[in-house]
Amino acid sequence: MAIFRMSPPFLAGTNRVTIQMLQVIFAMIPAIAAMVYFFGPAVLINISLALTVALLAEAILLKLRKRPVKPFITDGSAAVTAILLAVAIPPLSPWWLTVTGVLFAIVFAKHLYGGLGYNPFNPAMIGYVLLLVSFPLEMTTWLPVDSLTETPLDLHSAFQLIFYGQTNAGWVADTVSGATPLDTMKTQIGQSIAPAYIVNQNLFGSLGGLGWEWINIWFAVGGLYLLYRRVISWHVPVAMIGTMFVLSGVTYLFAPEITGSPLFHLLSGGTMIGAFFIATDPVSGSTTVKGRLVFGAGVGALTYIIRVWGGYPDGVAFAVLLMNMLAPLIDYYTQPKVYGATK
């Protein structure tokens, strides 16, 4: 019998990382469109700036590390990091804030650890926390819902505010910025949180803040798409959202005057982007099935604790980074039994 030998691989495979990253970006498009609708074109300027800086930094670091540039710069990981960071910071952030955060995320949080697959912390959240701790005023100054104001910012005005700090009409960023619903919860303890964000008693806005509800809903829709495409598993999002819902529900029953309702916490801030796009990072998160449930529950609990009793309005970034530190320990104690083992 003749035996024919062929050298594998028989077919050229595709880069699975690239495919997954492109699907993540695709899943964020509806939420980004909602952000542009509610907060104006400044969102697109931030994303474009972040993408440019991230790709340039990625290429330079790959060259310095003597790694092939094309395979890594086209895998989409740097682009995902840039977009996640860009949508997490206020739309009218000065250009240097975005550049600083992206550079720190790509250079220090990613490449100094060895590049994609070796970073113990989520790069986008490392960059976000650096900015939040170093520049708290700039990082907590958000636009009001731009689509409902009498004089919404156009692209040119947004560009001037981001790169020059003021427009030809004399506007400065501080005059067109406002507090977020989570900021209001922090500063107006004992008062009703939702009414300041309701317009004409419209249903949307009464639960999580006008604009923020739609943004979180569309991030959730994008997350469901990722679940359908099996880019992520259900364990982390369900554990994080479920834990936040239970904790906020219990505390709301006993102290509604100092804490928001469960729906308020699920539809405000970075809950849904955190649950579906950040905490599900396969590199910095837990890898076992039970571990993902523990990891997600930990992120949800810490996020809620920081929001209600901590010093920052939103706690998603801090919660993710703290659980990143615990991921190896969680994996160690949640490893499935080896087949045939008695203990």
Side-chain angles (χ1 to χ4, degrees):
M1 180 182 295
I3 299 177
F4 298 94
R5 297 181 181 273
M6 298 180 67
S7 298
F10 307 113
L11 294 174
T14 56
N15 189 333
R16 182 166 176 80
V17 174
T18 302
I19 294 174
Q20 290 187 336
M21 293 299 174
L22 288 176
Q23 291 191 91
V24 170
I25 294 173
F26 178 77
M28 286 192 285
I29 290 177
I32 292 173
M35 291 188 73
V36 173
Y37 175 77
F38 286 111
F39 297 123
V43 176
L44 296 178
I45 298 176
N46 259 354
I47 293 175
S48 301
L49 177 61
L51 282 171
T52 302
V53 174
L55 294 177
L56 285 175
E58 183 93 342
I60 293 172
L61 266 295
L62 288 170
K63 279 287 188 180
L64 292 175
R65 295 177 57 210
K66 299 181 180 179
R67 303 296 298 275
V69 175
K70 185 177 179 180
F72 291 100
I73 202 171
T74 58
D75 64 13
S77 60
V80 169
T81 297
I83 295 173
L84 287 174
L85 183 57
V87 299
I89 64 179
L92 286 183
S93 299
W95 65 270
W96 53 264
L97 196 76
T98 303
V99 171
T100 301
V102 172
L103 285 177
F104 194 82
I106 297 298
V107 176
F108 291 92
K110 182 179 180 181
H111 280 281
L112 288 189
Y113 282 104
L116 180 65
Y118 296 96
N119 50 287
F121 300 100
N122 186 290
M125 294 301 95
I126 286 284
Y128 177 87
V129 167
L130 169 78
L131 297 178
L132 185 60
V133 172
S134 304
F135 311 103
L137 178 61
E138 289 82 357
M139 287 293 290
T140 54
T141 306
W142 277 79
L143 278 166
V145 177
D146 193 29
S147 64
L148 300 176
T149 60
E150 295 181 359
T151 55
L153 288 174
D154 56 24
L155 183 63
H156 182 64
S157 297
F159 184 89
Q160 288 181 319
L161 285 172
I162 290 172
F163 287 95
Y164 302 105
Q166 63 179 14
T167 67
N168 292 335
W171 290 359
V172 296
D174 291 342
T175 63
V176 292
S177 299
T180 66
L182 290 174
D183 289 319
T184 303
M185 185 185 73
K186 284 286 187 183
T187 58
Q188 297 183 12
I189 293 176
Q191 302 180 32
S192 179
I193 297 171
Y197 297 91
I198 303 175
V199 175
N200 296 327
Q201 299 298 313
N202 194 332
L203 172 63
F204 282 95
S206 62
L207 299 177
L210 192 61
W212 291 98
E213 287 181 10
W214 280 112
I215 293 168
N216 273 279
I217 288 171
W218 283 115
F219 271 124
V221 170
L224 293 176
Y225 167 79
L226 294 180
L227 289 173
Y228 171 75
R229 298 293 299 175
R230 297 186 178 180
V231 176
I232 61 175
S233 67
W234 61 267
H235 305 82
V236 172
V238 169
M240 177 181 169
I241 294 171
T243 300
M244 289 188 67
F245 186 86
V246 171
L247 289 179
S248 58
V250 171
T251 56
Y252 188 68
L253 289 175
F254 294 97
E257 70 280 359
I258 65 172
T259 177
S261 69
L263 287 178
F264 173 79
H265 283 282
L266 295 187
L267 297 177
S268 292
T271 301
M272 293 303 169
I273 189 176
F276 290 102
F277 293 89
I278 297 172
T280 52
D281 178 17
V283 176
S284 58
S286 186
T287 57
T288 66
V289 174
K290 292 181 180 178
R292 289 171 184 159
L293 292 172
V294 175
F295 184 90
V299 172
L302 289 171
T303 298
Y304 182 72
I305 290 170
I306 294 170
R307 281 183 177 182
V308 178
W309 294 287
Y312 294 94
D314 204 351
V316 173
F318 291 102
V320 169
L321 295 179
L322 288 171
M323 293 307 296
N324 285 161
M325 295 172 60
L326 294 177
L329 186 65
I330 294 172
D331 283 346
Y332 179 81
Y333 284 105
T334 57
Q335 287 290 337
K337 291 183 179 180
V338 178
Y339 179 76
T342 58
K343 293 184 180 180

